Amino acid sequence: MQRYSGFGLVKHALSHHEHWQKVWRSPEPKKEYDVIIVGGGGHGLATAYYLAKEHGITNIAVIEKGWLGGGNTARNTTIVRSNYLWDESAALYEHSMKLWEGLSQDLNYNVMFSQRGVLNLGHTLQDMRDIQRRVNANRLQGIDGEVLDTQQVQDLVPAMDCSASTRYPVLGASWQPRGGVARHDAVAWGFARGADSLGVDLIQQTEVTGFRKQDGAIVGVETSRGFIGAKRVGVVTAGNSGVMAEKAGFRLPLESHPLQALVSEPLKPILDTVVMSNHVHGYVSQSDKGDLVIGAGIDGYVGYGQRGSYPTIEHTVQAIIELFPIFSRVRMNRQWGGIVDTCPDACPIISKTPVKGLFFNCGWGTGGFKATPGSGNIFAWTLAKGRAHPLAEPFAYDRFNSGKLIDEHGAAGVAH
Amino acid sequence: MSDATTLDPQAVTDADAATRSQTSVIDQRPALDVHLQTARSPLAHLFTARADANAGVVLEEKAFLGHLMLRGDPAQSGFAEAVEVALGLALPLTSSTLNLNDAGVSIQWLAPDEWLIIVPGEEAFAFEQALHEQLSGRYQVVNVSGGQTVVSLSGAQARQVLMKSTPTDVHPRAFPVGRGVPAVFAKATLILRHVSAKEGESEFELVIRRSFADYLGRWLLDASEEFGVCIKA
Amino acid sequence: MMHIFCPYCGELREEEEFHAKGQAHIERPIEPEACSDAEWGDYLFFRNNPRGIHHELWIHAVGCRKYFNITRHTVTYEILETYRMGEQPGITAETLAAEQLAQSAAASAASSTTQQTGDARP
């Protein structure tokens, strides 16, 4: 792997940038691998990378039906934070946050992780009580967090309407300074490049159509390019996990819903943090390119259409204008939908399954992007050892039968 | 013995059906002098009289009307006839139909087993009693007058105000006189009725819950502003 | 925007008037105490999540406020039918598959006939 550096940039400039090496290979699939990862999004690629880097398993294939990072990785609003309420999920997201903080150096690839801080606004007394509770919990968990009052919020975000005359006045907010955003494509590409250089085969345009089992154990996957053997398979196909589980012969407690996002025309810098509001129900940040990145709620029905309903767009834009009347004449450039696999308790499933050797990492709902490095890291551990990583243990698939749910609906809040 | 609001079908026997309702009906409206002194309509604070000869929109709160919710099975023998006798208006049996007369009485289909009856406020108790008098078997009449109010929306630009506010199709072809539906309206809900059209100018009625009245009243004033507003008090 | 036919109002209405309530035809176990943890968990949390035909419970929330059922395709969002509570769907993944099979059989029979007549010509 050619390492990227300032010196390299100057060197390649001399030959008009025509001799950069390909970022990853496009190998033919082998007959058999030690581990197959189904799904080449951020989480799948991170899993392959950490398997190769931390567990010395390099005979790995990542099988992707489209192109790398072309699913939800390309469709989210890139918010990163770890201020969840319960110990189990806070530990999971904080593990991820710590990896984010060194990720660009680790991958030798600029993932443009920007710790510009995340605000969760409170608009009612109950909101503020919930914020107090969550920030207190976060501090006990060793996660940064502060409760801000209206004036402090106004100082951080001068463009927002924090006056008392709004329908839902801003009473305060929780503030996680270490939160922020990252560049979604760069995350997928950085992990892909890292995994490829460690010997992982990234196989694109190949669809997994079924799972081959022998005596209740996995022996490989059927694909659009034939059978590929592996005694251990990890499925990381957000937006399609229920369908994959059905192919493997069991059911997951998931429902897949469309979640939309919008970006505006590029503006001069006006918003240098991430603003989220559960109550008015929307969130917004400004990308380095200048566009406002906006999102809100999921559609209420099961849908795989990768598009959302018009009322949801209207509702989303209304919420943002409620918070930022100054944006009322900003034009929207693009709008799209991703498919999110939602769990009844708004927490993921990182688990073994009824099929021996088959593992699932799914159900991240509306907030999977922030977990990308952490999810890959602990799923790699889980696949390497054949049992759940200690941080993944509470997120087992059987919690829906044992009743040991981790209810994160409050902190998961508005879909993002 | 018989309870008009019972939910247990076993409890309704033929013998019960033949007997009159035992539900106690109380006149909710205070005596006239008390009413005049104390009653405040949900929009009194917003809809203060405003004259504008060129106004495109005319708003008027029709305050203190009598609102009755009727529930029952129209297939039950005698039900439709009983309602007609009590109100002097036919029970609408098709979806979203509004029947009304010049005496200020109206009945609107809300669901296959539910209707909204609006009558002059001082006559609410009499109509309520008349319904109980006529109806038998399993039915329900609830006086909800205190919970809602009516806004009349008319003027040349009335329909434009609606188009800004609701996803319901209000084109005259889709929303003729005599049609009434619950509607999503400015993120809240209300009941929207097309009561008349004279010389191409329509009058709509918006049946609004008291708790939404301040919000929807402000919305209507704001949405009408560009057309010029006249408020009849 | 979906236009949904409410079987109680007998009219097509805007999507905003409705709320989706998840999978239809789920029966509460008659004796919850007699259920195993697995059965109770299945009842509470496990839902069909098909990429294709789905039977769903909806409510006409801003309308007649009745619950009813929709058979809908979860990729195209096409609504194949709506039906009242207590009724069973007329269209399912199975009936559609059988219909398609019959159609393709009829099509191939038709094409083989043309081929035969073609062969019969000098």
Side-chain angles (χ1 to χ4, degrees):
Chain A
M1 181 178 85
Q2 267 177 357
R3 285 188 67 79
Y4 293 147
S5 66
F7 172 71
L9 202 61
V10 173
K11 194 182 94 183
H12 281 285
L14 298 174
S15 55
H16 305 285
H17 293 292
E18 284 173 0
H19 301 292
W20 286 99
Q21 117 199 100
K22 282 209 161 160
V23 183
W24 54 78
R25 303 163 291 129
S26 285
E28 278 301 305
K30 291 191 248 174
K31 280 204 166 60
E32 182 144 15
Y33 289 92
D34 292 340
V35 178
I36 287 177
I37 290 154
V38 183
H43 287 228
L45 293 165
T47 307
Y49 172 74
Y50 287 115
L51 260 175
K53 181 176 172 245
E54 294 188 352
H55 303 282
I57 301 171
T58 55
N59 186 25
I60 305 172
V62 175
I63 304 179
E64 166 58 43
K65 97 176 154 179
W67 59 88
L68 299 181
N72 287 350
T73 304
R75 292 164 183 273
N76 70 89
T77 48
T78 76
I79 296 166
V80 177
R81 62 185 178 95
S82 63
N83 53 354
Y84 280 69
L85 175 65
W86 299 106
D87 289 351
E88 294 87 344
S89 36
L92 183 67
Y93 290 103
E94 181 60 16
H95 180 65
S96 191
M97 180 66 91
K98 293 217 166 80
L99 290 169
W100 276 114
E101 288 174 326
L103 196 61
S104 291
Q105 286 72 25
D106 185 27
L107 294 174
N108 179 233
Y109 198 101
N110 187 4
V111 298
M112 298 166 78
F113 178 49
S114 159
Q115 291 181 293
R116 56 184 65 185
V118 173
L119 279 171
N120 289 81
L121 303 179
H123 301 272
T124 64
L125 285 176
Q126 186 57 44
D127 274 2
M128 292 313 295
R129 288 187 201 110
D130 289 343
I131 283 170
Q132 293 273 6
R133 180 186 182 208
R134 185 160 44 78
V135 169
N136 285 339
N138 288 154
R139 290 190 169 181
L140 292 171
Q141 291 148 348
I143 296 169
D144 60 323
E146 286 172 50
V147 179
L148 305 185
D149 64 23
T150 310
Q151 190 54 48
Q152 288 168 306
V153 174
Q154 183 76 86
D155 291 346
L156 270 172
V157 192
M160 186 159 62
D161 184 359
C162 291
S163 66
S165 63
T166 55
R167 182 154 176 78
Y168 303 106
V170 176
L171 301 184
S174 77
W175 168 242
Q176 187 182 21
R178 283 162 70 236
V181 291
R183 166 85 188 145
H184 51 101
D185 288 332
V187 176
W189 296 338
F191 275 120
R193 175 169 170 266
D196 177 83
S197 74
L198 293 167
V200 174
D201 283 356
L202 307 177
I203 301 163
Q204 301 182 67
Q205 305 295 330
T206 306
E207 185 174 357
V208 170
T209 54
F211 298 91
R212 196 180 287 183
K213 295 178 274 188
Q214 218 165 48
D215 307 323
I218 194 95
V219 292
V221 295
E222 310 286 353
T223 77
S224 52
R225 287 162 81 177
F227 174 77
I228 306 174
K231 295 269 186 309
R232 208 155 274 180
V233 175
V235 179
V236 205
T237 55
N240 220 15
S241 310
V243 177
M244 297 309 281
E246 201 183 322
K247 285 181 177 153
F250 58 93
R251 211 152 76 127
L252 287 171
L254 297 177
E255 285 196 318
S256 303
H257 295 263
L259 170 62
Q260 297 184 83
L262 308 95
V263 291
S264 73
E265 59 190 345
L267 308 174
K268 287 190 176 177
I270 186 164
L271 181 62
D272 62 355
T273 183
V274 181
V275 175
M276 312 180 71
S277 166
N278 289 1
H279 199 91
V280 175
H281 210 243
Y283 52 90
V284 57
S285 64
Q286 188 175 23
S287 75
D288 292 346
K289 208 166 63 186
D291 18 340
L292 299 174
V293 185
I294 292 170
I298 58 173
D299 286 347
Y301 43 80
V302 171
Y304 289 93
Q306 291 198 326
R307 63 182 183 278
S309 65
Y310 294 119
T312 305
I313 301 175
E314 194 179 350
H315 158 85
T316 304
V317 173
Q318 277 172 341
I320 297 306
I321 295 173
E322 182 79 28
L323 295 171
F324 294 89
I326 196 173
F327 292 160
S328 65
R329 276 166 291 171
V330 174
R331 280 163 296 196
M332 290 297 140
N333 251 0
R334 291 183 294 124
Q335 161 272 341
W336 65 89
I339 306 304
V340 296
D341 292 336
T342 56
C343 260
D345 61 354
C347 277
I349 295 170
I350 310 165
S351 176
K352 56 186 184 185
T353 67
V355 182
K356 195 165 173 267
L358 179 65
F359 295 81
F360 264 67
N361 181 357
C362 60
W364 290 89
T366 59
F369 179 76
K370 68 175 77 69
T372 305
S375 157
N377 188 271
I378 63 172
F379 196 48
W381 196 100
T382 303
L383 282 166
K385 314 264 184 201
R387 63 190 156 85
H389 183 282
L391 287 178
E393 268 172 22
F395 298 96
Y397 149 74
D398 61 14
R399 72 177 186 270
F400 297 97
N401 289 125
S402 68
K404 202 164 180 240
L405 306 186
I406 307 154
D407 182 5
E408 277 294 358
H409 281 290
V414 55
H416 58 280
Chain B
M1 241 198 46
S2 163
D3 178 354
T5 57
T6 181
L7 288 173
D8 181 5
Q10 298 297 317
V12 182
T13 63
D14 289 344
D16 282 336
T19 62
R20 294 275 171 254
S21 163
Q22 301 289 301
T23 311
S24 56
V25 183
I26 302 160
D27 189 358
Q28 296 180 8
R29 202 175 164 98
L32 186 64
D33 56 330
V34 180
H35 173 80
L36 288 174
Q37 262 178 24
T38 59
R40 254 177 80 81
S41 77
L43 282 165
H45 64 299
L46 273 182
F47 282 16
T48 40
R50 197 193 290 183
D52 182 349
N54 301 317
V57 176
V58 181
L59 293 170
E60 180 185 6
E61 185 188 7
K62 294 182 174 174
F64 308 121
L65 295 180
H67 298 238
L68 307 173
M69 301 301 290
L70 168 68
R71 300 203 62 177
D73 179 3
Q76 193 178 297
S77 85
F79 182 80
E81 293 80 356
V83 174
E84 189 163 352
V85 170
L87 299 182
L89 271 175
L91 180 76
L93 294 173
T94 48
S95 167
S96 314
T97 307
L98 168 70
N99 292 346
L100 65 174
N101 64 17
D102 292 340
V105 179
S106 67
I107 178 163
Q108 180 186 347
W109 187 100
L110 289 181
D113 56 1
E114 186 171 12
W115 294 264
L116 169 66
I117 298 165
I118 298 186
V119 299
E122 59 282 4
E123 294 170 39
F125 184 53
F127 275 106
E128 201 180 346
Q129 280 179 313
L131 283 162
H132 284 297
E133 196 70 25
Q134 296 298 326
L135 288 163
S136 58
R138 222 168 133 218
Y139 73 94
Q140 186 188 56
V141 177
V142 180
N143 187 334
V144 295
S145 306
Q148 38 195 48
T149 189
V150 175
V151 171
S152 157
L153 170 69
S154 57
Q157 258 90 39
R159 198 156 65 85
Q160 267 74 4
V161 174
L162 294 180
M163 284 159 68
K164 280 207 267 190
S165 313
T166 176
T168 301
D169 187 353
V170 289
H171 190 278
R173 201 166 50 225
F175 207 91
V177 173
R179 180 173 168 82
V181 290
V184 175
F185 198 96
K187 301 181 94 165
T189 61
L190 48 66
I191 292 171
L192 181 63
R193 306 134 59 97
H194 193 175
V195 292
S196 70
K198 280 175 204 127
E199 292 155 21
E201 213 171 271
S202 286
E203 184 192 352
F204 296 93
E205 277 182 357
L206 282 57
V207 184
I208 292 172
R209 287 195 194 92
R210 178 177 277 271
S211 55
F212 289 165
D214 178 65
Y215 166 72
L216 286 170
R218 286 174 198 277
W219 174 280
L220 283 168
L221 289 175
D222 188 47
S224 308
E225 197 64 44
E226 60 171 306
F227 307 115
V229 200
C230 163
I231 302 173
K232 291 190 196 164
Chain C
M1 172 88 86
M2 287 197 280
H3 273 179
I4 300 172
F5 184 85
C6 170
Y8 294 98
C9 290
E11 290 179 1
L12 281 168
R13 296 287 184 86
E14 310 289 335
E15 173 182 342
E16 274 180 272
E17 295 185 8
F18 299 87
H19 289 308
K21 294 286 180 184
Q23 186 186 334
H25 308 298
I26 293 172
E27 281 177 35
R28 189 174 200 272
I30 289 167
E31 279 185 82
E33 297 81 5
C35 284
S36 66
D37 286 351
E39 286 166 342
W40 187 244
D42 280 358
Y43 160 69
L44 281 182
F45 299 121
F46 287 72
R47 297 291 181 262
N48 293 339
N49 191 23
R51 206 183 172 90
I53 303 300
H54 195 28
H55 305 290
E56 298 170 325
L57 183 66
W58 286 67
I59 182 170
H60 192 183
V62 185
C64 60
R65 281 155 295 139
K66 301 279 182 211
Y67 283 89
F68 63 99
N69 303 296
I70 294 184
T71 303
R72 195 175 59 90
H73 197 288
T74 59
V75 181
T76 64
Y77 297 174
E78 184 187 359
I79 294 170
L80 301 172
E81 62 174 340
T82 58
Y83 51 100
R84 293 174 180 226
M85 293 305 290
E87 293 175 3
Q88 290 300 310
I91 300 170
T92 63
E94 289 75 31
T95 63
L96 277 180
E99 208 172 287
Q100 267 177 356
L101 207 65
Q103 268 173 6
S104 63
S108 67
S111 71
S112 68
T113 327
T114 17
Q115 216 169 0
Q116 275 167 12
T117 38
D119 285 346
R121 279 183 198 151

